[in-house]
């Protein structure tokens, strides 16, 4: 049983109903998301061996401040950092710290800015110096999973079509899909209905309608899909310590497909490109 509700009149809490947004909301999401995308663009020339994830976190905080935005993760459910930094076998929600990045690491940086009340949520993978071919392939597969999921978005399809597109491709590439975390509705709330599973079948889940806004953020492993959360209560790692990757975009459903709010203005939100000169 799914309810769809006009986002303009619905209460600002997750009641399980799926909000349908109008043009003003799309404009708000565009602005917040483009700020996040610009930050992720800047990070491409900051990530290198020797840089700490705390330094990355500071950059994310200050870039937000300079642009009138707050990181949504700051003091979110006890989380105290401005972004998540997930390295190698860390699936998601890695906490920035004072350890320097090392040549060959792969790192996901996940940023969510709140601008004028709207949440711009996106993450990308960054290679640290030269990385192994297996790691490079994982980034390519994971990015392709995200884009195939996005390509499945259109009114009338179900959320399961996104999951099916992602799972089918990942498993054909002998990778596995993490089940424990999903994409989510987003807007004035950080995490809202619906859940967007990154696995499943096209005939499952609620029907997509024009005006829905959500993230797609597949986590793909080279090994088995299972994860565990460390004793810090946040850091999720692969149980078999295999390499894992994630890319995330926020999208809005349009009459014919979807708009990707978090696309890189510099065109560098995909793997295999050299960093921009800072
Ligand atoms: N940005 C993450 C997401 O894609 C959520 C991070 S919540 C935190 O949904 F508390 F771990 F930061
Ligand atoms: Co995110
Ligand atoms: Co998200």
């Amino acid at each position: 049983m799914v309810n769809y509700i006009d986002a303009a009149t619905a209460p600002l809490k997750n009641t399980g109903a799926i909000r349908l947004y109008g043009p003003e909301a799309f404009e708000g999401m565009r602005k917040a998301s483009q700020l996040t995308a610009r930050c992720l663009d800047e990070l491409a020339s900051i990530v290198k061996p020797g840089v700490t994830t705390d330094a990355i976190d500071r950059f994310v905080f200050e870039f937000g401040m300079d642009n009138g935005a707050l990181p949504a993760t700051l003091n979110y459910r006890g989380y105290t950092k401005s972004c998540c930094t997930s390295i190698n076998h860390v699936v998601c929600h890695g906490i920035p710290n004072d350890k320097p990045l090392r040549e060959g690491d792969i790192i996901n940086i996940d940023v969510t800015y709140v601008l004028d009340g709207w949440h711009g949520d996106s993450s990308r993978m960054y290679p640290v110096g030269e990385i192994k071919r297996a790691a490079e392939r994982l980034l390519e597969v994971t990015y392709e999973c995200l884009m195939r999921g996005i390509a499945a978005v259109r009114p009338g399809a179900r959320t399961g079509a996104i999951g099916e597109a992602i799972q089918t491709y990942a498993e054909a590439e002998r990778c596995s899909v993490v089940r424990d975390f999903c994409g989510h509705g987003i807007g004035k709330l950080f995490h809202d209905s619906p859940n967007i599973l990154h696995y499943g079948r096209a005939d499952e889940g609620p029907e997509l309608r024009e005006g829905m806004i959500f993230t797609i953020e597949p986590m793909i492993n080279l090994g088995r899909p299972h994860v565990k959360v460390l004793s810090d209560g946040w850091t999720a790692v692969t149980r078999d310590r295999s390499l894992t990757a994630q890319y995330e975009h926020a999208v809005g459903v349009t009459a014919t497909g979807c708009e990707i709010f978090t696309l890189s203005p510099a065109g560098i939100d995909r793997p295999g490109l050299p960093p921009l000169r800072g």
Side-chain angles (χ1 to χ4, degrees), residues 110 112 121-122 182-186 190-191 215-217 246 248-249:
D110 192 338
T112 308
D121 185 6
S122 184
C182 57
H184 48 92
I186 191 166
F190 191 1
H191 294 108
T215 72
I216 306 178
E217 47 184 297
Q246 178 180 31
E248 174 177 25
H249 273 316

Side-chain angles (χ1 to χ4, degrees), residues 141-154 157-173 175 177 196-204 208 216 218 220:
V141 169
T142 306
Y143 177 75
E144 182 66 18
C145 282
L146 171 60
M147 297 318 282
R148 285 182 183 225
I150 289 173
V153 175
R154 54 174 179 76
R158 294 181 177 275
T159 58
I162 301 167
E164 181 176 295
I166 292 168
Q167 184 181 13
T168 302
Y169 182 73
E171 291 177 357
E173 293 294 324
C175 293
V177 178
I196 304 296
L197 305 187
H198 303 116
Y199 61 94
R201 288 173 36 145
D203 62 357
E204 295 167 344
L208 300 175
I216 306 178
I220 306 296

Side-chain angles (χ1 to χ4, degrees), residues 60 116 221 240 251:
V60 172
D116 296 331
N221 301 346
D240 63 6
V251 305

